[in-house]
Amino acid sequence: MKEKAQNNNPYNICTWRPNSECEVCSIAGRLKCHYKLGDLLHFAGIFWTFAVPAFIGMMLGGYGWYILGEVGFMIFFFTLWEIRILCSHCPYYAEEGRVLHCIANYGSPKVWKYHPEPMSVSEKIQLLIGFAVLCGYPFPFLILGGQYVLASLALWGGIIFFWTLRKYTCSQCVNFSCPLNLVPKEVVDEFLKRNSVMRKAWEEKGWEIGGLGS
Ligand code: SF4
Ligand code: SF4
C-alpha cells in the first residue's frame, strides 16, 4: 500500500492510519497498536495494587507528608524525564499535537520531539533507575514507621504490578526498544515494514529485518 501522510500523522505511523489497513495486516491482534480505554484503565488499575498500601502505610507510620515527594517525582518523571527517554520513541508519540494519547501515559504534555529510532543504552539505564526510585521511595518510610505488614503488601503489589504489566502489556507493546518489551522479533520486523520512517531510523542503528536484531 502506498504510504500517504495524514494531517495528524506526520511520520505516517500505521497506529494513526485508518483502521481499514489493519484488516489485511498479518500481525493484527498481536499488538496493542491502537488506543483503547480498557488498556489505559487496566494499566492505571494495577498500579494502585502497589500505591494504595504504600501510601496508607506512610500515613499510618507518621510520614504522610512525604507522599508529596513521591507525587512530585511522579509528575517530574511522567511529564518530563520518562516521556523523553521512553515515550518519545513510541509510535503513539508520533501523533501530531501537544498531548500524548496512549494506553498508559495518556494526557501527558509532549514537550519533546518524536524520536523514531530505538532507545539508547543510556536511556534504558535511566528508565530502570527511574522505575527503581519510583517503586523504592516509600519503603524507607514504611520501615521507619514500623509498617511492616503494609510494606509487605506494597512489595507484593509492586511484584503483581510488574508481573501483570510484563504478561499483558509488555508482550504486546509497540515501544519495542523498551528494556521491558517482550514482543517477538518477527512481529517487530513486520511492524517496521509497515512504517518506513521507523524502519530507516532502526536500520541506521543496526537493526536487521529478518536478522538477529541490533
Ligand atoms: S501493526 Fe499497524 S497495520 Fe497492523 S494492526 Fe497494528 S496499527 Fe494496524
Ligand atoms: S511507551 Fe507506553 S506510556 Fe509511553 S507513549 Fe508508548 S504506550 Fe504510552
Side-chain angles (χ1 to χ4, degrees):
M1 177 177 293
K2 190 173 188 315
E3 294 184 3
K4 182 170 179 289
Q6 306 151 244
N7 287 341
N8 71 332
N9 191 11
Y11 298 93
N12 199 19
I13 300 290
C14 64
T15 290
W16 297 110
R17 284 185 220 140
N19 285 7
S20 56
E21 189 177 322
C22 305
E23 291 167 9
V24 292
C25 175
S26 62
I27 53 173
R30 303 283 303 272
L31 295 169
K32 295 191 176 189
C33 42
H34 290 289
Y35 167 76
K36 287 196 185 112
L37 179 62
D39 289 331
L40 178 62
L41 293 177
H42 174 257
F43 177 81
I46 57 174
F47 176 72
W48 291 106
T49 59
F50 158 75
V52 167
F55 289 171
I56 290 175
M58 288 175 74
M59 286 190 284
L60 293 179
Y63 291 93
W65 284 107
Y66 289 81
I67 293 172
L68 292 177
E70 176 83 329
V71 172
F73 180 74
M74 285 168 72
I75 292 170
F76 164 70
F77 189 58
F78 290 119
T79 64
L80 283 175
W81 188 15
E82 182 253 22
I83 202 168
R84 170 62 189 86
I85 58 179
L86 174 70
C87 300
S88 74
H89 298 277
C90 181
Y92 282 108
Y93 199 96
E95 183 193 22
E96 184 71 59
R98 306 309 304 172
V99 176
L100 178 60
H101 300 120
C102 80
I103 58 174
N105 210 359
Y106 191 98
S108 278
K110 294 197 296 183
V111 297
W112 312 104
K113 73 181 181 72
Y114 171 58
H115 286 265
E117 76 279 9
M119 292 171 72
S120 66
V121 172
S122 162
E123 288 172 326
K124 292 178 185 181
I125 293 170
Q126 289 179 60
L127 182 69
L128 296 176
I129 291 172
F131 282 159
V133 172
L134 193 70
C135 296
Y137 177 91
F139 288 98
F141 301 108
L142 292 169
I143 291 165
L144 286 171
Q147 299 298 314
Y148 303 114
V149 172
L150 285 160
S152 303
L153 287 175
L155 180 62
W156 180 241
I159 292 168
I160 294 288
F161 171 71
F162 276 105
W163 183 85
T164 309
L165 191 72
R166 294 269 287 171
K167 185 167 175 62
Y168 295 105
T169 299
C170 303
S171 57
Q172 301 174 59
C173 177
V174 287
N175 205 348
F176 306 117
S177 59
C178 170
L180 301 182
N181 194 278
L182 292 171
V183 173
K185 183 179 183 301
E186 64 270 20
V187 177
V188 179
D189 284 353
E190 286 301 318
F191 191 90
L192 293 178
K193 286 179 193 170
R194 286 166 172 74
N195 293 283
S196 58
V197 173
M198 275 183 73
R199 177 176 182 169
K200 181 170 182 292
W202 277 57
E203 288 181 334
E204 284 172 0
K205 294 291 180 185
W207 185 267
E208 291 178 20
I209 301 279
L212 297 174
S214 58

